[in-house]
Amino acid sequence: MVTVTEKYEVIVVGGGAAGLSAALVLGRARRHTLVVDAGEPRNAPAAHMQGYLSRDGMAPAEFLAVGREEIARYGVELVRDRAVDAARDAGGEFDVTLAGGRTVHARQLVVATGLKDELPAVAGVAERYGRDVLHCPYCHGWEVRDQAFGVLAGTPMSVHQALMVSQWSKDVTLFLHTVAEEELSADDLRRLAAAGVAVVPGEVAALVVEDDRLTGVRLADGTAYHREVLFVAPRAVPQNGLLDRLGAELRETPFGAYPVIDERGLTTVPGLWAAGNASGFAEQVVNAASRGYRAGAAINGELLFADLDAAGQV
């Protein structure tokens, strides 16, 4: 038997750009809303976020702090906790269990739990990630333009990353690492040559760091190559446990399993929504905020018309 401590109209699980954006819309719509935030944003290693009009260069932590202040103005509650379980009750509403021991209830539930990046197991990569080990040229390319780039291959798809980053530097080396040369297609080799990307076979053993700066990449055979920036492709791990437990249909992609949603973010479970990187791999901060806004507005409409229809049947 579930003991519910508090009831809300909407619970948002995840306090990143998507979750806060949804909560902001819902708060302004006078919806009794709770945000459950575990405090583990994906972009925490980055000093700045880029490409968000009017917020370009803003520190991610500052962005989130401002967002939390904004939702508080409209009465949205935020709790620092982790949602460890969720279940639908007989009426199709949601009971969410928090790690702190509370169980909270909502008519509608937004999952904006994002994803986690699993980095390649190369010495130095995790320590430098977000500084001079990067993953996205749109996020960081301008800041490191014209430096000596390396790209650490994990799959043949890393060719695409090497070709993309060549727009920000003409000194790019693709380290094949765990990829065999014969795995590259003729088109791959032609495009790499056209872009001026050097290709180096052999496993990468470690990064070379001097005076707290990346200065090179060292192969397992001891050969070192001067590089100032290394692009990697982390393995994306969607945080979709709640969606899965609630029965949302998931679709397999090359970047993990994500929920099937409509254009508003509604999953295949009525009342259950997904936003931000919980709904897809390629949601940058600005896109995640947009997804959250769209879900928040749609949820308000769903609640409004549900209440009107219920009132009309009395």
Side-chain angles (χ1 to χ4, degrees):
M1 187 171 182
V2 175
T3 301
V4 176
T5 57
E6 294 170 78
K7 294 187 177 182
Y8 297 86
E9 291 182 283
V10 186
I11 293 174
V12 180
V13 180
L20 291 176
S21 183
L24 181 63
V25 174
L26 290 162
R28 287 177 54 82
R30 310 180 75 176
R31 294 296 179 186
H32 188 35
T33 302
L34 173 69
V35 175
V36 180
D37 181 16
E40 299 174 348
R42 181 189 180 196
N43 60 359
H48 305 93
M49 63 181 201
Q50 313 294 342
Y52 195 136
L53 189 64
S54 82
R55 298 293 181 268
D56 188 64
M58 192 176 193
E62 181 185 356
F63 175 80
L64 295 178
V66 170
R68 290 190 288 268
E69 291 174 1
E70 289 178 348
I71 66 170
R73 296 176 198 162
Y74 302 103
V76 174
E77 297 177 39
L78 184 144
V79 60
R80 288 289 193 178
D81 210 332
R82 184 183 304 277
V84 294
D85 200 6
R88 293 183 79 207
D89 64 15
E93 297 184 352
F94 301 90
D95 294 319
V96 179
T97 303
L98 307 185
R102 300 165 59 193
T103 297
V104 287
H105 180 89
R107 297 171 64 187
Q108 305 263 315
L109 178 62
V110 181
V111 175
T113 44
L115 57 83
K116 287 188 176 181
D117 292 315
E118 287 189 355
L119 296 168
V122 172
V125 166
E127 293 81 1
R128 307 300 304 176
Y129 189 56
R131 302 165 68 187
D132 37 30
V133 174
L134 308 169
H135 76 291
C136 171
Y138 291 107
C139 303
H140 306 288
W142 175 264
E143 285 66 38
V144 296
R145 64 194 183 280
D146 298 326
Q147 296 185 46
F149 288 3
V151 177
L152 182 68
T155 73
M157 290 179 64
S158 297
V159 170
H160 176 80
Q161 187 177 35
L163 295 173
M164 289 298 299
V165 304
S166 71
Q167 187 168 338
W168 283 267
S169 173
K170 296 308 176 187
D171 183 1
V172 180
T173 297
L174 174 63
F175 296 95
L176 291 183
H177 189 41
T178 57
V179 177
E181 290 183 80
E182 54 268 25
E183 293 183 70
L184 304 186
S185 69
D187 281 343
D188 289 337
L189 296 172
R190 175 179 55 78
R191 288 170 177 155
L192 289 167
V197 176
V199 178
V200 173
E203 185 175 353
V204 173
L207 306 188
V208 181
V209 178
E210 299 175 3
D211 297 326
D212 199 29
R213 293 175 62 89
L214 176 67
T215 60
V217 171
R218 188 172 67 250
L219 302 189
D221 65 7
T223 307
Y225 293 81
H226 170 70
R227 295 289 91 184
E228 298 167 293
V229 176
L230 182 68
F231 282 89
V232 300
R235 176 176 174 265
V237 182
Q239 304 301 287
N240 55 25
L242 291 180
L243 295 168
D244 189 37
R245 281 195 286 279
L246 288 167
E249 181 182 347
L250 303 178
R251 70 187 191 286
E252 289 293 336
T253 78
F255 308 103
Y258 294 90
V260 175
I261 56 173
D262 68 11
E263 66 279 0
R264 305 168 301 163
L266 181 63
T267 72
T268 53
V269 176
L272 179 62
W273 306 73
N277 280 129
S279 65
F281 169 74
E283 300 298 333
Q284 307 288 10
V285 177
V286 65
N287 296 329
S290 174
R291 284 280 193 180
Y293 188 105
R294 187 177 303 182
I299 290 168
N300 181 59
E302 291 277 326
L303 292 171
L304 172 64
F305 286 102
D307 289 343
L308 292 173
D309 289 346
Q313 294 173 5
V314 175

